[in-house]
Amino acid sequence: MNQDQIKIPQATAKRLPLYYRFLKNLHASGKQRVSSKELSDAVKVDSATIRRDFSYFGALGKKGYGYNVNYLLTFFRKTLDQDEVSKVILIGVGNLGTAFLHYNFIKNNNTKIEMAFDADPKKAGTSVGDVPIYSMDELEERVNKSEIEVAILTVPAGPAQSITDRLVPLEIKGILNFTPARLNVPDTIRIHHIDLAVELQSLIYFLRHYGTEDVE
Ligand code: ATP
């Protein structure tokens, strides 16, 4: 099957890294097949959803056999472009930004924070782990040279839009926005917005109103 022709729904696509991580561990432990029930218990996605997800890429589990781990892994590797490292920058090396720089993304997927930027002159010129921190004045020059695909924004909400406006002409394709600001970008850029305060509040709301029961 030609991988390029497969168009999978976004909700399915979002679960792929989760499946991929678990299957890699299974493969490493020598397992050759896995049932949707086993997968479901491990990744906490119900097995009907897993079967539907997998059917999109032609993995039809056999009754009593399950899924072939190698087939799935090959598919995931191609789909998630695991052979190619995506280059990422981070802007705003405060508490949250520093935590991301310490976190080793490359362990689970081929994503590497190449460099970070900060407006604070005390931070520019230092590094966190092996990630160098540069002054915001160097943003354009450094990004232009390095084929950066994604930017993680961990600055305060105030400067988020003006920083985004500087990223647009640099041909960044995606922004992971951890600021509470809603950003305006042209449709050549994809933004994923993660507001930790909202997520926490939402979890507490669901706990209060629904406990641990599933909500459709
Ligand atoms: P957080 O946990 O959100 O990182 P913090 O208290 O450590 O919080 P913030 O005030 O949120 O720090 O700022 C985050 C980082 O963003 C700081 O390192 C700050 O120097 C940097 N920063 C602030 N404004 C800008 C800007 N305009 N451009 C680049 N970096 C900025």
Side-chain angles (χ1 to χ4, degrees):
M1 191 181 325
N2 183 347
Q3 306 289 348
D4 298 337
Q5 287 171 356
I6 299 170
K7 191 104 182 105
I8 50 180
Q10 288 203 11
T12 301
K14 276 194 170 168
R15 286 187 284 269
L16 292 190
L18 198 66
Y19 296 144
Y20 179 65
R21 190 185 332 182
F22 177 70
L23 286 163
K24 242 178 19 176
N25 291 339
L26 269 190
H27 182 70
S29 68
K31 274 201 86 164
Q32 289 176 4
R33 54 188 175 157
V34 63
S35 68
S36 46
K37 168 86 171 60
E38 268 174 287
L39 260 168
S40 167
D41 290 344
V43 298
K44 303 280 179 276
V45 173
D46 68 90
S47 44
T49 304
I50 291 181
R51 280 195 294 274
R52 198 180 54 237
D53 283 351
F54 284 17
S55 71
Y56 288 117
F57 37 83
L60 303 168
K62 290 190 208 100
K63 246 201 157 34
Y65 177 88
Y67 295 94
N68 182 305
V69 172
N70 266 329
Y71 175 89
L72 290 173
L73 270 182
T74 310
F75 177 84
F76 286 135
R77 239 180 237 124
K78 287 202 179 119
T79 312
L80 296 168
D81 271 333
Q82 291 292 324
D83 302 328
E84 214 178 293
V85 176
S86 312
K87 291 186 180 175
V88 178
I89 57 166
L90 179 138
I91 304 179
V93 192
N95 288 310
L96 189 57
T98 304
F100 287 143
L101 295 185
H102 282 297
Y103 185 78
N104 188 0
F105 289 99
I106 206 141
K107 220 165 43 180
N108 291 320
N109 38 54
N110 276 8
T111 324
K112 176 150 179 18
I113 301 181
E114 297 272 317
M115 51 191 155
F117 295 87
D118 201 287
D120 183 345
K122 287 197 288 297
K123 292 179 180 170
T126 64
S127 59
V128 174
D130 62 353
V131 185
I133 306 169
Y134 299 116
S135 139
M136 287 300 285
D137 299 340
E138 298 179 50
L139 181 75
E140 281 75 11
E141 193 196 332
R142 296 216 176 254
V143 169
N144 269 329
K145 269 200 261 170
S146 341
E147 296 185 336
I148 300 295
E149 209 179 331
V150 166
I152 301 176
L153 273 192
T154 42
V155 289
Q161 184 64 55
S162 62
I163 294 171
T164 302
D165 294 342
R166 284 174 68 179
L167 294 173
V168 173
L170 297 176
E171 294 178 11
I172 295 267
K173 296 195 195 104
I175 295 177
L176 192 56
N177 174 25
F178 280 91
T179 82
R182 293 285 160 175
L183 303 172
N184 295 314
V185 285
D187 52 17
T188 48
I189 296 192
R190 183 177 190 99
I191 295 202
H192 283 198
H193 184 251
I194 302 177
D195 188 326
L196 294 177
V198 169
E199 295 295 331
L200 185 60
Q201 239 173 359
S202 143
L203 173 67
I204 292 167
Y205 174 87
F206 277 95
L207 280 176
R208 295 247 164 86
H209 290 82
Y210 303 98
T212 54
E213 149 201 338
D214 278 341
V215 185
E216 289 299 326

